[in-house]
Amino acid sequence: RIVRVRQERMDEKEEDFYQALYTQSQAQFNTYLLSGTVLNNYAHIFDILIRLRQAVDHPYLVIYSDTQSTSEESKSNFHAIVDQKTKKAANDEETAAVEIEDSICSICHEPTEDEVRAACGHAYCRTCISDYM
């Protein structure tokens, strides 16, 4: 078995979303800690850790998960962050042009050929995404 460890970087929106979720999770854990109920809430703590891991994989895994209460908070947080970042990018035309020119396929990590963009903003080569699906 070969295990390859890659070090990936989150884009600015994903990082902001993760930090917001991390702060929320830390506050929830501290509530359990201060009330002395950490052992009684181990399943909730496991859920918190899983959400953080999902957020690293892709924010949509947290936003559209089955857990509705956290999902609604996460969805509103994510959309607020995306709206803020979108408005900033719209005001800066040069930034938008550079992002389009420097699109890197999220699968092959090469400059995109015949680019396809997902709703989340990730860019793919048409052949890469077709082969993946």
Side-chain angles (χ1 to χ4, degrees), residues 92-111:
D92 189 0
E93 295 175 3
E94 289 182 18
T95 302
V98 170
E99 285 179 12
I100 292 171
E101 289 175 16
D102 295 338
S103 293
I104 302 295
C105 177
S106 297
I107 296 174
C108 69
H109 303 290
E110 298 288 328

Side-chain angles (χ1 to χ4, degrees), residues 10-20 55 59-60 63 77-87 89 99 117-122:
M10 291 188 268
D11 67 20
E12 194 174 340
K13 290 183 266 188
E14 291 170 333
E15 180 67 34
D16 287 345
F17 177 77
Y18 181 82
Q19 287 302 322
Y60 278 18
I63 294 169
N77 286 344
F78 181 75
H79 289 300
I81 290 167
V82 169
D83 289 344
Q84 180 184 19
K85 300 296 178 185
T86 303
K87 288 176 187 174
E99 285 179 12
R117 282 205 178 261
C120 59
H122 286 96

